[in-house]
């Protein structure tokens, strides 16, 4: 597992949204950094996609205690989505964010970006692709972006969202409230509800989806 994501002297920029996933990802990577024989550096980047003046003091203090450099980038993502009347805001938002993180990584000398996608995100993305494109596929846990020359890693894909939620509550982390105006009415929210319905009848549905991906798409990509 470890060698799939980290190599000696990596400089890893965490996509830090201020949500529970990015907090737990940061703590996990910091713990690995302090204990691993493989030495790597960490940084964190916050993309202000509402282009507003959100209060980031708690985030800055959290990262300062871990001795992790903090970068902020402003971008009017939500304004652009509104002006375009975008039918798939989640997809466009993710593309914007990934591009902005890659730009920041290149600007500050990082060779990898770490994102906080978890097992629930995997299952939801697979379902969305099945329903809307007829393809059984998902983002990959470790992929090299040829255009930006930056690798993207997702170390939390084996972790369920409920585990992340429980740990963030236990640690009383200063979670930043989401500023997304589309969070309650998206295709991804619908996919989440379908997965929850299926999980009530088939408790291993998310694990089985992940296992199928490993056997098919991700195995073939190696």
């Amino acid at each position: 597992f470890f060698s799939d994501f980290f190599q000696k002297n990596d400089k890893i920029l965490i996509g830090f949204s201020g949500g529970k996933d990015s907090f737990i990802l940061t703590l996990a990577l910091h713990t690995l950094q302090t204990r691993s024989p493989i030495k790597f550096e960490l940084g964190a980047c916050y993309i202000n996609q509402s282009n507003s003046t959100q209060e980031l003091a708690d985030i800055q203090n959290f990262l300062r205690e871990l001795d992790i450099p903090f970068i902020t980038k402003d971008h009017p993502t939500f304004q652009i989505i509104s002006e375009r009347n975008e039918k798939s805001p989640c997809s466009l938002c993710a593309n914007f964010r990934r591009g902005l993180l890659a730009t920041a990584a290149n600007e500050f000398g990082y060779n990898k970006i770490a994102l906080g996608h978890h097992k629930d995100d995997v299952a939801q993305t697979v379902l969305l692709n099945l329903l809307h494109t007829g393809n059984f596929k998902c983002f990959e846990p470790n992929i090299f972006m040829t255009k930006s020359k930056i690798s993207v890693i997702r170390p939390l894909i084996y972790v369920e969202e409920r585990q992340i939620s429980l740990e963030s509550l236990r640690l009383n982390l200063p979670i930043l409230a989401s500023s997304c105006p589309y969070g309650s009415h998206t295709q991804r929210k619908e996919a989440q509800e379908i997965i929850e319905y299926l999980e009530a009848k088939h408790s291993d549905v998310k694990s089985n989806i992940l296992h199928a991906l490993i056997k098919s798409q991700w195995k073939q990509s190696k």
Side-chain angles (χ1 to χ4, degrees):
F1 170 83
F2 193 85
S3 61
D4 288 342
F5 293 104
F6 309 100
Q7 282 77 44
K8 185 179 179 181
N9 298 324
D10 273 343
K11 292 190 67 175
I12 302 170
L13 186 64
I14 301 165
F16 197 95
S17 67
K20 63 185 186 310
D21 304 336
S22 60
F23 267 102
I24 295 300
L25 173 63
T26 301
L27 287 170
L29 292 181
H30 179 260
T31 300
L32 286 173
Q33 184 186 41
T34 58
R35 299 181 181 181
S36 168
I38 300 176
K39 301 305 178 185
F40 58 91
E41 296 181 33
L42 292 175
C45 182
Y46 173 79
I47 307 297
N48 180 12
Q49 292 179 291
S50 62
N51 207 18
S52 64
T53 55
Q54 287 189 292
E55 179 54 57
L56 302 180
D58 288 341
I59 290 176
Q60 291 169 327
N61 291 336
F62 169 80
L63 293 169
R64 189 180 299 113
E65 288 181 6
L66 300 180
D67 197 26
I68 296 177
F70 183 47
I71 302 164
T72 61
K73 292 287 184 179
D74 294 333
H75 187 265
T77 302
F78 301 145
Q79 179 183 339
I80 294 172
I81 290 174
S82 177
E83 290 173 352
R84 289 175 50 163
N85 194 25
E86 181 63 41
K87 293 182 179 180
S88 300
C90 292
S91 177
L92 182 60
C93 181
N95 288 336
F96 274 138
R97 186 165 179 264
R98 190 163 52 249
L100 291 162
L101 287 171
T103 299
N106 278 317
E107 180 181 351
F108 291 92
Y110 293 89
N111 67 305
K112 289 184 177 178
I113 295 169
L115 301 178
H117 294 114
H118 44 64
K119 188 188 290 187
D120 293 65
D121 291 320
V122 170
Q124 292 162 21
T125 301
V126 168
L127 182 58
L128 285 170
N129 281 320
L130 281 172
L131 293 176
H132 297 286
T133 70
N135 293 311
F136 183 80
K137 66 178 184 178
C138 185
F139 51 74
E140 297 188 30
N142 188 350
I143 189 169
F144 182 72
M145 300 190 295
T146 55
K147 185 176 181 180
S148 62
K149 309 299 182 184
I150 298 292
S151 293
V152 176
I153 59 174
R154 297 173 168 94
L156 297 184
I157 58 164
Y158 296 102
V159 184
E160 294 197 13
E161 184 176 22
R162 62 180 179 83
Q163 296 171 304
I164 293 172
S165 297
L166 289 172
E167 187 65 6
S168 66
L169 287 172
R170 185 184 74 82
L171 296 172
N172 193 29
L173 296 173
I175 305 301
L176 186 66
S178 173
S179 61
C180 176
Y182 305 98
S184 301
H185 307 285
T186 64
Q187 293 175 343
R188 182 165 291 277
K189 181 67 174 178
E190 293 175 359
Q192 177 186 354
E193 292 170 353
I194 293 172
I195 294 294
E196 289 174 352
Y197 172 80
L198 293 173
E199 192 175 26
K201 299 178 179 293
H202 308 281
S203 59
D204 293 333
V205 62
K206 288 181 289 194
S207 295
N208 288 339
I209 290 172
L210 182 61
H211 180 66
L213 277 170
I214 293 171
K215 290 179 63 176
S216 56
Q217 178 195 348
W218 294 347
K219 182 179 179 180
Q220 294 170 9
S221 67
K222 292 184 177 181

